[in-house]
Amino acid sequence: MEQYEPDRLTPPRQAAVQRGTRGGRAALTRRSLLRATAGGALATGGLGALGGCGIPAAGKTRGGTSAQDHSAREKVVNFSNWTEYIDVDDSGKRHPTLDTFRERTGIRVGYTEDINDNNEFFGKIKPQLAAGQDTGRDLIVLTDWLAARLIRLGWVQKLDVSNLPHAYTNLSPQFRDPDWDPGRAYSYPWQGISTVIAYNKKALDGIEVTSVSDLLDNPKLKGRVGFLSEMRDSMGMTLLDMGKDPARFSGDDFDAAIARLQKAVDKGQIRRFTGNDYTSDLTKGDLAACVAWAGDIVQLKADSPDVGFVIPDSGYMTSTDNLCVPNKARHKTNAERLIDFYYEPAQAAALAAYINYVTPVDGVKPYLAKIDQDAADNPLIVPDQAMQAKSHAFRSLSQKEETAYEEKFAKLTGA
């Protein structure tokens, strides 16, 4: 990231300071909220409630319901997103990319940061969608597993590829064909989220960490290892280390990975399972190494030179936050134009420079280099081909699998 320079802050550094004064780094703030997984749904009845309130069971429907499109007459698009997940100017009040979109198209973006938790947001929009009503939103950002659920339920609309020339052309191959939305018929990634191994070089004191096996088996790291409380990330990384593909694993494979982690818990190797609160332990050195989210590490490295990361030879996990158009949206075409706008490399670069997540847009690097050369060279933001080849996604789960796997993982973590 940018180097500190007395009395002179570069635009990316100014942006980081702005984020800090508004309550913390975007990556850290967002991460603590993002991974509200189906495990949270188990606690709140989110999964079990699907069958008992007039909602079809997951996997039995597909394809959304359109409404009369008012885009030509009403130059507006209502966009719901997570907090601190878009570029902001020096005043902290305006979003430069949205301003550019309006200047170019004449379409005003009603931008709302009203997504704080996947399950909470699902509960907010579920009554209208189940009743076939407009949610008042034209574009929403959902983490992949929830996007998959809404696609299965038939609650998001199929996108018109003729309105998405840049998106269709520039979508990175890494994100093109998830099993829950083959060919991206119903969604396009907003940002990617990579799970890697992070370490504190000073705390390691010469100990080599290159794999999940090192985390689990090296006695010199006993009590100084962290794993994530997000099931898909911790289990995915463990499955990869065991030579299993997270996109194709069996129930027996899952149980074997649980047993492997349980052994490490029992012998005190794993200090704890965390949300993004691992960041404090990592920077202090209480954790020598841990499974971590790349967006956090990009930010931590800017302030903590001892923090680094490694991509295991076995690979790493990737998930996505996704742009979807809900059923009955009034301005579907306008929403598609906004999706396509963010797949122009220059706009994707402006977004990536500010929020530091994995950009899903090919061709961003030269544009990002004009803003922040360090960010452009960071494979956690712009993965090169070698890193993309090591990327793996966790496969879609049936409702029965999701319930069973989350229960087993909760037992492991003591949740």
Side-chain angles (χ1 to χ4, degrees), residues 186-243:
Y186 297 90
S187 68
Y188 268 85
W190 175 245
Q191 296 291 288
I193 306 157
S194 297
T195 303
V196 300
I197 293 176
Y199 59 83
N200 183 308
K201 185 177 180 180
K202 185 176 181 180
L204 284 179
D205 192 24
I207 300 170
E208 185 177 38
V209 171
T210 62
S211 68
V212 169
S213 288
D214 290 333
L215 298 181
L216 296 177
D217 300 333
N218 191 330
K220 294 180 180 179
L221 296 176
K222 182 177 180 178
R224 299 192 294 142
V225 168
F227 273 72
L228 294 169
S229 56
E230 159 54 27
M231 183 268 285
R232 289 165 175 81
D233 290 323
S234 285
M235 292 301 294
M237 292 291 282
T238 304
L239 286 164
L240 284 170
D241 190 70
M242 297 171 68

Short mmCIF file of all heavy atoms in Angstrom, two decimals, residues 186-243:
data_model
loop_
_atom_site.label_atom_id
_atom_site.label_comp_id
_atom_site.label_asym_id
_atom_site.label_seq_id
_atom_site.Cartn_x
_atom_site.Cartn_y
_atom_site.Cartn_z
N TYR A 186 -28.29 -14.70 -13.64
CA TYR A 186 -29.10 -13.93 -12.69
C TYR A 186 -28.28 -12.99 -11.82
O TYR A 186 -28.85 -12.23 -11.03
CB TYR A 186 -29.86 -14.89 -11.77
CG TYR A 186 -30.85 -15.76 -12.48
CD1 TYR A 186 -30.48 -17.00 -12.98
CD2 TYR A 186 -32.17 -15.35 -12.67
CE1 TYR A 186 -31.39 -17.81 -13.65
CE2 TYR A 186 -33.09 -16.15 -13.32
CZ TYR A 186 -32.69 -17.38 -13.82
OH TYR A 186 -33.59 -18.17 -14.48
N SER A 187 -26.97 -13.03 -11.91
CA SER A 187 -26.14 -12.24 -11.00
C SER A 187 -24.81 -11.88 -11.66
O SER A 187 -24.36 -12.56 -12.58
CB SER A 187 -25.85 -13.04 -9.72
OG SER A 187 -25.01 -14.15 -10.00
N TYR A 188 -24.21 -10.80 -11.15
CA TYR A 188 -22.82 -10.48 -11.48
C TYR A 188 -22.12 -10.09 -10.19
O TYR A 188 -22.71 -9.43 -9.33
CB TYR A 188 -22.73 -9.32 -12.49
CG TYR A 188 -22.70 -9.81 -13.92
CD1 TYR A 188 -23.87 -10.08 -14.61
CD2 TYR A 188 -21.50 -10.03 -14.59
CE1 TYR A 188 -23.86 -10.54 -15.91
CE2 TYR A 188 -21.47 -10.48 -15.90
CZ TYR A 188 -22.66 -10.75 -16.55
OH TYR A 188 -22.62 -11.22 -17.84
N PRO A 189 -20.86 -10.49 -10.03
CA PRO A 189 -20.16 -10.17 -8.79
C PRO A 189 -19.96 -8.66 -8.62
O PRO A 189 -19.64 -7.96 -9.57
CB PRO A 189 -18.80 -10.87 -8.94
CG PRO A 189 -19.03 -11.92 -9.98
CD PRO A 189 -20.06 -11.36 -10.91
N TRP A 190 -20.17 -8.22 -7.41
CA TRP A 190 -19.80 -6.85 -7.02
C TRP A 190 -18.32 -6.83 -6.64
O TRP A 190 -17.54 -6.05 -7.16
CB TRP A 190 -20.68 -6.39 -5.87
CG TRP A 190 -20.35 -5.05 -5.28
CD1 TRP A 190 -19.90 -4.81 -4.01
CD2 TRP A 190 -20.48 -3.75 -5.89
NE1 TRP A 190 -19.72 -3.46 -3.80
CE2 TRP A 190 -20.08 -2.78 -4.94
CE3 TRP A 190 -20.89 -3.32 -7.16
CZ2 TRP A 190 -20.08 -1.41 -5.21
CZ3 TRP A 190 -20.89 -1.95 -7.43
CH2 TRP A 190 -20.49 -1.02 -6.47
N GLN A 191 -17.94 -7.75 -5.73
CA GLN A 191 -16.54 -7.92 -5.35
C GLN A 191 -16.30 -9.38 -4.97
O GLN A 191 -17.23 -10.09 -4.60
CB GLN A 191 -16.17 -7.03 -4.15
CG GLN A 191 -16.28 -5.54 -4.43
CD GLN A 191 -15.23 -5.02 -5.39
OE1 GLN A 191 -14.05 -4.92 -5.05
NE2 GLN A 191 -15.64 -4.68 -6.61
N GLY A 192 -15.05 -9.80 -5.06
CA GLY A 192 -14.66 -11.12 -4.62
C GLY A 192 -14.05 -11.06 -3.23
O GLY A 192 -13.52 -10.02 -2.80
N ILE A 193 -14.14 -12.18 -2.51
CA ILE A 193 -13.62 -12.28 -1.15
C ILE A 193 -12.73 -13.51 -1.08
O ILE A 193 -13.22 -14.63 -1.24
CB ILE A 193 -14.76 -12.39 -0.13
CG1 ILE A 193 -15.77 -11.25 -0.30
CG2 ILE A 193 -14.23 -12.43 1.30
CD1 ILE A 193 -17.14 -11.56 0.24
N SER A 194 -11.46 -13.32 -0.85
CA SER A 194 -10.51 -14.43 -0.81
C SER A 194 -10.15 -14.79 0.63
O SER A 194 -10.01 -13.91 1.49
CB SER A 194 -9.23 -14.07 -1.57
OG SER A 194 -9.50 -13.84 -2.93
N THR A 195 -10.00 -16.08 0.87
CA THR A 195 -9.59 -16.59 2.17
C THR A 195 -8.18 -17.16 2.04
O THR A 195 -7.95 -18.05 1.21
CB THR A 195 -10.55 -17.67 2.67
OG1 THR A 195 -11.88 -17.14 2.71
CG2 THR A 195 -10.17 -18.15 4.05
N VAL A 196 -7.25 -16.65 2.83
CA VAL A 196 -5.84 -17.02 2.71
C VAL A 196 -5.29 -17.36 4.10
O VAL A 196 -6.03 -17.37 5.08
CB VAL A 196 -5.04 -15.87 2.07
CG1 VAL A 196 -5.56 -15.56 0.67
CG2 VAL A 196 -5.07 -14.61 2.94
N ILE A 197 -4.01 -17.63 4.16
CA ILE A 197 -3.34 -17.76 5.45
C ILE A 197 -2.55 -16.48 5.72
O ILE A 197 -1.76 -16.05 4.88
CB ILE A 197 -2.39 -18.98 5.47
CG1 ILE A 197 -3.19 -20.28 5.37
CG2 ILE A 197 -1.53 -18.98 6.73
CD1 ILE A 197 -2.32 -21.53 5.28
N ALA A 198 -2.80 -15.89 6.87
CA ALA A 198 -2.07 -14.69 7.27
C ALA A 198 -1.14 -15.03 8.44
O ALA A 198 -1.37 -15.99 9.17
CB ALA A 198 -3.03 -13.58 7.68
N TYR A 199 -0.11 -14.22 8.60
CA TYR A 199 0.83 -14.47 9.68
C TYR A 199 1.42 -13.16 10.19
O TYR A 199 1.37 -12.13 9.52
CB TYR A 199 1.97 -15.39 9.21
CG TYR A 199 2.77 -14.84 8.05
CD1 TYR A 199 3.81 -13.93 8.26
CD2 TYR A 199 2.48 -15.22 6.74
CE1 TYR A 199 4.54 -13.42 7.20
CE2 TYR A 199 3.20 -14.71 5.68
CZ TYR A 199 4.23 -13.81 5.91
OH TYR A 199 4.94 -13.29 4.86
N ASN A 200 1.95 -13.23 11.40
CA ASN A 200 2.73 -12.14 11.96
C ASN A 200 4.19 -12.61 11.99
O ASN A 200 4.55 -13.52 12.74
CB ASN A 200 2.24 -11.81 13.37
CG ASN A 200 2.99 -10.63 13.99
OD1 ASN A 200 4.21 -10.59 14.02
ND2 ASN A 200 2.23 -9.66 14.50
N LYS A 201 5.01 -12.03 11.15
CA LYS A 201 6.39 -12.48 10.98
C LYS A 201 7.16 -12.44 12.29
O LYS A 201 7.93 -13.37 12.61
CB LYS A 201 7.09 -11.62 9.92
CG LYS A 201 8.49 -12.07 9.59
CD LYS A 201 9.08 -11.20 8.48
CE LYS A 201 10.50 -11.66 8.14
NZ LYS A 201 11.08 -10.81 7.05
N LYS A 202 6.96 -11.42 13.06
CA LYS A 202 7.68 -11.30 14.33
C LYS A 202 7.26 -12.41 15.29
O LYS A 202 8.09 -13.02 15.97
CB LYS A 202 7.41 -9.93 14.95
CG LYS A 202 8.20 -9.66 16.22
CD LYS A 202 7.95 -8.23 16.70
CE LYS A 202 8.76 -7.94 17.97
NZ LYS A 202 8.52 -6.54 18.46
N ALA A 203 5.96 -12.71 15.33
CA ALA A 203 5.47 -13.75 16.22
C ALA A 203 5.92 -15.14 15.77
O ALA A 203 6.14 -16.03 16.60
CB ALA A 203 3.94 -13.69 16.31
N LEU A 204 6.05 -15.34 14.47
CA LEU A 204 6.52 -16.63 13.97
C LEU A 204 7.98 -16.89 14.36
O LEU A 204 8.38 -18.04 14.59
CB LEU A 204 6.38 -16.71 12.45
CG LEU A 204 4.97 -16.93 11.89
CD1 LEU A 204 5.02 -16.95 10.37
CD2 LEU A 204 4.37 -18.23 12.42
N ASP A 205 8.77 -15.83 14.38
CA ASP A 205 10.16 -15.93 14.81
C ASP A 205 10.90 -17.06 14.07
O ASP A 205 11.55 -17.92 14.68
CB ASP A 205 10.23 -16.15 16.32
CG ASP A 205 11.65 -15.97 16.87
OD1 ASP A 205 12.45 -15.26 16.23
OD2 ASP A 205 11.95 -16.56 17.93
N GLY A 206 10.77 -17.06 12.77
CA GLY A 206 11.50 -18.02 11.94
C GLY A 206 10.75 -19.29 11.62
O GLY A 206 11.22 -20.10 10.80
N ILE A 207 9.59 -19.53 12.22
CA ILE A 207 8.79 -20.72 11.93
C ILE A 207 8.18 -20.55 10.53
O ILE A 207 7.60 -19.51 10.21
CB ILE A 207 7.68 -20.92 12.97
CG1 ILE A 207 8.29 -21.09 14.37
CG2 ILE A 207 6.81 -22.12 12.63
CD1 ILE A 207 7.26 -21.06 15.48
N GLU A 208 8.27 -21.58 9.71
CA GLU A 208 7.72 -21.50 8.36
C GLU A 208 6.27 -21.94 8.36
O GLU A 208 5.92 -23.00 8.91
CB GLU A 208 8.52 -22.39 7.41
CG GLU A 208 8.07 -22.26 5.96
CD GLU A 208 8.92 -23.09 5.02
OE1 GLU A 208 9.31 -24.21 5.39
OE2 GLU A 208 9.18 -22.62 3.90
N VAL A 209 5.41 -21.14 7.76
CA VAL A 209 4.00 -21.48 7.61
C VAL A 209 3.63 -21.31 6.14
O VAL A 209 3.68 -20.20 5.61
CB VAL A 209 3.10 -20.59 8.48
CG1 VAL A 209 1.64 -20.81 8.14
CG2 VAL A 209 3.34 -20.87 9.95
N THR A 210 3.29 -22.41 5.50
CA THR A 210 2.92 -22.36 4.09
C THR A 210 1.62 -23.09 3.80
O THR A 210 1.17 -23.10 2.66
CB THR A 210 4.03 -22.97 3.21
OG1 THR A 210 4.20 -24.36 3.56
CG2 THR A 210 5.35 -22.23 3.39
N SER A 211 1.03 -23.74 4.81
CA SER A 211 -0.14 -24.57 4.55
C SER A 211 -1.02 -24.66 5.79
O SER A 211 -0.60 -24.31 6.91
CB SER A 211 0.30 -25.98 4.14
OG SER A 211 0.91 -26.64 5.25
N VAL A 212 -2.22 -25.16 5.59
CA VAL A 212 -3.11 -25.43 6.71
C VAL A 212 -2.51 -26.52 7.60
O VAL A 212 -2.66 -26.49 8.83
CB VAL A 212 -4.51 -25.83 6.20
CG1 VAL A 212 -5.38 -26.38 7.32
CG2 VAL A 212 -5.20 -24.62 5.55
N SER A 213 -1.82 -27.48 7.00
CA SER A 213 -1.16 -28.51 7.80
C SER A 213 -0.17 -27.90 8.79
O SER A 213 -0.06 -28.36 9.94
CB SER A 213 -0.43 -29.51 6.89
OG SER A 213 -1.34 -30.33 6.21
N ASP A 214 0.55 -26.87 8.38
CA ASP A 214 1.47 -26.20 9.30
C ASP A 214 0.71 -25.61 10.47
O ASP A 214 1.16 -25.67 11.62
CB ASP A 214 2.24 -25.10 8.57
CG ASP A 214 3.25 -25.65 7.57
OD1 ASP A 214 3.73 -26.77 7.77
OD2 ASP A 214 3.53 -24.94 6.58
N LEU A 215 -0.45 -25.02 10.20
CA LEU A 215 -1.25 -24.44 11.27
C LEU A 215 -1.72 -25.50 12.26
O LEU A 215 -1.72 -25.28 13.48
CB LEU A 215 -2.48 -23.72 10.69
CG LEU A 215 -2.26 -22.54 9.75
CD1 LEU A 215 -3.60 -21.96 9.32
CD2 LEU A 215 -1.40 -21.47 10.39
N LEU A 216 -2.11 -26.64 11.73
CA LEU A 216 -2.73 -27.67 12.56
C LEU A 216 -1.72 -28.59 13.25
O LEU A 216 -2.04 -29.16 14.31
CB LEU A 216 -3.67 -28.52 11.72
CG LEU A 216 -4.88 -27.80 11.12
CD1 LEU A 216 -5.68 -28.75 10.24
CD2 LEU A 216 -5.77 -27.22 12.21
N ASP A 217 -0.53 -28.73 12.69
CA ASP A 217 0.36 -29.80 13.15
C ASP A 217 1.67 -29.33 13.78
O ASP A 217 2.33 -30.14 14.43
CB ASP A 217 0.69 -30.73 11.97
CG ASP A 217 -0.55 -31.39 11.38
OD1 ASP A 217 -1.53 -31.56 12.12
OD2 ASP A 217 -0.53 -31.71 10.17
N ASN A 218 2.06 -28.09 13.58
CA ASN A 218 3.34 -27.65 14.12
C ASN A 218 3.20 -27.33 15.60
O ASN A 218 2.52 -26.36 15.97
CB ASN A 218 3.85 -26.42 13.37
CG ASN A 218 5.29 -26.08 13.73
OD1 ASN A 218 5.75 -26.35 14.83
ND2 ASN A 218 6.01 -25.49 12.78
N PRO A 219 3.81 -28.11 16.48
CA PRO A 219 3.64 -27.89 17.93
C PRO A 219 4.17 -26.54 18.40
O PRO A 219 3.76 -26.04 19.45
CB PRO A 219 4.41 -29.06 18.55
CG PRO A 219 5.39 -29.49 17.51
CD PRO A 219 4.71 -29.26 16.19
N LYS A 220 5.08 -25.93 17.62
CA LYS A 220 5.61 -24.63 18.01
C LYS A 220 4.55 -23.52 17.91
O LYS A 220 4.75 -22.42 18.43
CB LYS A 220 6.81 -24.28 17.13
CG LYS A 220 8.00 -25.19 17.35
CD LYS A 220 9.17 -24.79 16.45
CE LYS A 220 10.38 -25.70 16.67
NZ LYS A 220 11.51 -25.32 15.78
N LEU A 221 3.45 -23.82 17.22
CA LEU A 221 2.38 -22.83 17.07
C LEU A 221 1.21 -23.10 18.00
O LEU A 221 0.17 -22.44 17.90
CB LEU A 221 1.89 -22.83 15.62
CG LEU A 221 2.90 -22.39 14.56
CD1 LEU A 221 2.31 -22.52 13.16
CD2 LEU A 221 3.37 -20.96 14.81
N LYS A 222 1.36 -24.05 18.91
CA LYS A 222 0.26 -24.43 19.79
C LYS A 222 -0.30 -23.22 20.53
O LYS A 222 0.43 -22.44 21.15
CB LYS A 222 0.73 -25.48 20.81
CG LYS A 222 -0.37 -25.97 21.73
CD LYS A 222 0.13 -27.06 22.66
CE LYS A 222 -0.99 -27.55 23.59
NZ LYS A 222 -0.53 -28.64 24.48
N GLY A 223 -1.62 -23.06 20.42
CA GLY A 223 -2.31 -21.96 21.10
C GLY A 223 -2.17 -20.62 20.42
O GLY A 223 -2.65 -19.61 20.94
N ARG A 224 -1.53 -20.60 19.25
CA ARG A 224 -1.32 -19.31 18.56
C ARG A 224 -1.84 -19.35 17.13
O ARG A 224 -1.39 -18.60 16.27
CB ARG A 224 0.17 -18.97 18.58
CG ARG A 224 0.74 -18.80 19.98
CD ARG A 224 2.11 -18.18 19.96
NE ARG A 224 3.09 -19.05 19.33
CZ ARG A 224 4.07 -18.63 18.55
NH1 ARG A 224 4.20 -17.34 18.25
NH2 ARG A 224 4.94 -19.48 18.02
N VAL A 225 -2.81 -20.23 16.90
CA VAL A 225 -3.40 -20.41 15.57
C VAL A 225 -4.87 -20.03 15.61
O VAL A 225 -5.58 -20.37 16.57
CB VAL A 225 -3.24 -21.87 15.10
CG1 VAL A 225 -4.09 -22.16 13.88
CG2 VAL A 225 -1.77 -22.17 14.83
N GLY A 226 -5.35 -19.35 14.58
CA GLY A 226 -6.76 -18.99 14.49
C GLY A 226 -7.41 -19.52 13.22
O GLY A 226 -6.78 -19.59 12.17
N PHE A 227 -8.67 -19.93 13.35
CA PHE A 227 -9.49 -20.27 12.20
C PHE A 227 -10.74 -19.40 12.25
O PHE A 227 -11.07 -18.81 13.28
CB PHE A 227 -9.86 -21.76 12.20
CG PHE A 227 -8.84 -22.65 11.56
CD1 PHE A 227 -7.63 -22.89 12.19
CD2 PHE A 227 -9.08 -23.23 10.32
CE1 PHE A 227 -6.67 -23.70 11.59
CE2 PHE A 227 -8.13 -24.03 9.71
CZ PHE A 227 -6.92 -24.28 10.35
N LEU A 228 -11.43 -19.35 11.11
CA LEU A 228 -12.59 -18.47 11.00
C LEU A 228 -13.87 -19.16 11.45
O LEU A 228 -14.03 -20.37 11.27
CB LEU A 228 -12.75 -18.00 9.55
CG LEU A 228 -11.61 -17.08 9.06
CD1 LEU A 228 -11.71 -16.90 7.56
CD2 LEU A 228 -11.66 -15.73 9.77
N SER A 229 -14.78 -18.38 11.99
CA SER A 229 -16.07 -18.92 12.42
C SER A 229 -17.03 -19.10 11.25
O SER A 229 -18.15 -19.58 11.44
CB SER A 229 -16.70 -18.00 13.47
OG SER A 229 -16.81 -16.68 12.98
N GLU A 230 -16.61 -18.70 10.05
CA GLU A 230 -17.40 -18.94 8.84
C GLU A 230 -17.11 -20.36 8.34
O GLU A 230 -15.97 -20.69 7.97
CB GLU A 230 -17.06 -17.91 7.78
CG GLU A 230 -17.38 -18.28 6.35
CD GLU A 230 -18.82 -18.69 6.11
OE1 GLU A 230 -19.71 -18.24 6.86
OE2 GLU A 230 -19.06 -19.48 5.18
N MET A 231 -18.13 -21.20 8.34
CA MET A 231 -17.96 -22.61 8.02
C MET A 231 -17.34 -22.82 6.65
O MET A 231 -16.41 -23.61 6.48
CB MET A 231 -19.31 -23.32 8.11
CG MET A 231 -19.26 -24.83 7.85
SD MET A 231 -19.56 -25.27 6.13
CE MET A 231 -21.33 -25.04 6.03
N ARG A 232 -17.84 -22.14 5.63
CA ARG A 232 -17.37 -22.38 4.27
C ARG A 232 -15.90 -22.06 4.11
O ARG A 232 -15.20 -22.71 3.33
CB ARG A 232 -18.23 -21.59 3.28
CG ARG A 232 -19.65 -22.12 3.12
CD ARG A 232 -20.54 -21.11 2.43
NE ARG A 232 -21.87 -21.64 2.18
CZ ARG A 232 -22.84 -21.70 3.08
NH1 ARG A 232 -22.61 -21.27 4.32
NH2 ARG A 232 -24.04 -22.18 2.77
N ASP A 233 -15.41 -21.06 4.81
CA ASP A 233 -14.02 -20.67 4.66
C ASP A 233 -13.08 -21.63 5.40
O ASP A 233 -12.12 -22.13 4.82
CB ASP A 233 -13.82 -19.24 5.16
CG ASP A 233 -14.47 -18.23 4.25
OD1 ASP A 233 -14.44 -18.42 3.03
OD2 ASP A 233 -15.02 -17.23 4.75
N SER A 234 -13.35 -21.88 6.67
CA SER A 234 -12.47 -22.77 7.43
C SER A 234 -12.54 -24.20 6.91
O SER A 234 -11.50 -24.88 6.77
CB SER A 234 -12.83 -22.73 8.92
OG SER A 234 -12.37 -21.52 9.50
N MET A 235 -13.73 -24.68 6.63
CA MET A 235 -13.86 -26.04 6.13
C MET A 235 -13.31 -26.16 4.71
O MET A 235 -12.69 -27.16 4.35
CB MET A 235 -15.31 -26.48 6.18
CG MET A 235 -15.86 -26.66 7.60
SD MET A 235 -14.92 -27.86 8.57
CE MET A 235 -15.29 -29.37 7.66
N GLY A 236 -13.52 -25.15 3.90
CA GLY A 236 -12.99 -25.18 2.54
C GLY A 236 -11.49 -25.24 2.52
O GLY A 236 -10.89 -26.03 1.77
N MET A 237 -10.83 -24.43 3.35
CA MET A 237 -9.37 -24.45 3.40
C MET A 237 -8.86 -25.79 3.92
O MET A 237 -7.83 -26.29 3.45
CB MET A 237 -8.88 -23.30 4.28
CG MET A 237 -9.12 -21.91 3.69
SD MET A 237 -8.12 -21.55 2.22
CE MET A 237 -6.54 -21.17 3.00
N THR A 238 -9.57 -26.38 4.87
CA THR A 238 -9.16 -27.67 5.41
C THR A 238 -9.34 -28.78 4.38
O THR A 238 -8.48 -29.65 4.21
CB THR A 238 -9.93 -27.99 6.69
OG1 THR A 238 -9.76 -26.92 7.64
CG2 THR A 238 -9.46 -29.28 7.33
N LEU A 239 -10.46 -28.76 3.68
CA LEU A 239 -10.69 -29.74 2.63
C LEU A 239 -9.61 -29.67 1.55
O LEU A 239 -9.10 -30.70 1.09
CB LEU A 239 -12.08 -29.54 2.01
CG LEU A 239 -13.27 -29.98 2.85
CD1 LEU A 239 -14.56 -29.37 2.33
CD2 LEU A 239 -13.38 -31.51 2.87
N LEU A 240 -9.27 -28.46 1.14
CA LEU A 240 -8.21 -28.30 0.14
C LEU A 240 -6.91 -28.90 0.63
O LEU A 240 -6.21 -29.59 -0.13
CB LEU A 240 -8.01 -26.82 -0.18
CG LEU A 240 -9.05 -26.15 -1.08
CD1 LEU A 240 -8.85 -24.64 -1.09
CD2 LEU A 240 -9.00 -26.71 -2.49
N ASP A 241 -6.57 -28.65 1.88
CA ASP A 241 -5.33 -29.17 2.43
C ASP A 241 -5.33 -30.69 2.47
O ASP A 241 -4.27 -31.32 2.41
CB ASP A 241 -5.14 -28.61 3.85
CG ASP A 241 -3.75 -28.90 4.40
OD1 ASP A 241 -2.78 -28.30 3.89
OD2 ASP A 241 -3.64 -29.74 5.32
N MET A 242 -6.51 -31.29 2.54
CA MET A 242 -6.64 -32.75 2.56
C MET A 242 -6.76 -33.34 1.15
O MET A 242 -6.99 -34.52 0.99
CB MET A 242 -7.87 -33.13 3.39
CG MET A 242 -7.77 -32.73 4.85
SD MET A 242 -9.32 -32.94 5.76
CE MET A 242 -9.47 -34.73 5.76
N GLY A 243 -6.61 -32.48 0.15
CA GLY A 243 -6.67 -32.95 -1.23
C GLY A 243 -8.06 -33.12 -1.77
O GLY A 243 -8.26 -33.76 -2.81
#
